Amino acid sequence: KQWYQRRVRGMSGRRGGDSPKGGDDTVIRIPPHFYIHVLDLKTNVTKTTVGPDTFVRQDNEKVVEGPTKMVIIPPNHYCVVANPVIKNKEGLVQFDNFGLVQLITDGSTPLNLFNTA
């Protein structure tokens, strides 16, 4: 019972969205077209969680950025992807030994102005 009282007292009734960066919040509500960056302290890997979602932070996770509004590209516009991923013959994204996505680093910049599929 004492542990439960300390836990509730430490949370002070705060819910997600009370602090601008997420900080110590356990529950964070991510609105549509927003995202957060979550650092896993065990593996030191940062993941992106996209809204709309209710994100429940685990003890081994830390919200390092967000919620941040996405950049929305208007119709009839384009953007150049600075770091495209490497894909295999089947068109699937390739990962390295640590489970991270491999990126093209040779400086080539593919630019598709139409649907290639």
Side-chain angles (χ1 to χ4, degrees), residues 2-94:
Q2 291 175 353
W3 173 84
Y4 176 75
Q5 289 173 346
R6 280 189 308 218
R7 176 82 174 152
V8 171
R9 201 175 316 124
M11 291 173 65
S12 69
R14 292 180 52 197
R15 299 291 288 181
D18 288 348
S19 68
K21 290 286 184 184
D24 295 335
D25 293 344
T26 303
V27 178
I28 299 173
R29 287 171 179 50
I30 309 169
H33 304 292
F34 279 74
Y35 64 93
I36 61 172
H37 289 280
V38 181
L39 174 65
D40 188 337
L41 300 173
K42 288 183 181 176
T43 60
N44 202 28
V45 174
T46 302
K47 67 178 180 178
T48 304
T49 303
V50 179
D53 192 14
T54 300
F55 176 76
V56 180
R57 186 183 58 81
Q58 304 297 319
D59 290 337
N60 63 321
E61 294 176 331
K62 177 182 178 184
V63 177
V64 292
E65 182 180 336
T68 305
K69 188 164 177 61
M70 292 183 185
V71 175
I72 299 175
I73 302 169
N76 299 323
H77 288 74
Y78 68 92
C79 75
V80 177
V81 178
N83 295 318
V85 297
I86 296 175
K87 296 184 180 181
N88 60 15
K89 293 179 183 176
E90 292 82 29
L92 300 174
V93 175
Q94 290 199 168

Side-chain angles (χ1 to χ4, degrees), residues 43-46 85 93-103:
T43 60
N44 202 28
V45 174
T46 302
V85 297
V93 175
Q94 290 199 168
F95 296 92
D96 63 8
N97 297 337
F98 302 104
L100 302 175
V101 176
Q102 290 184 332
L103 301 175

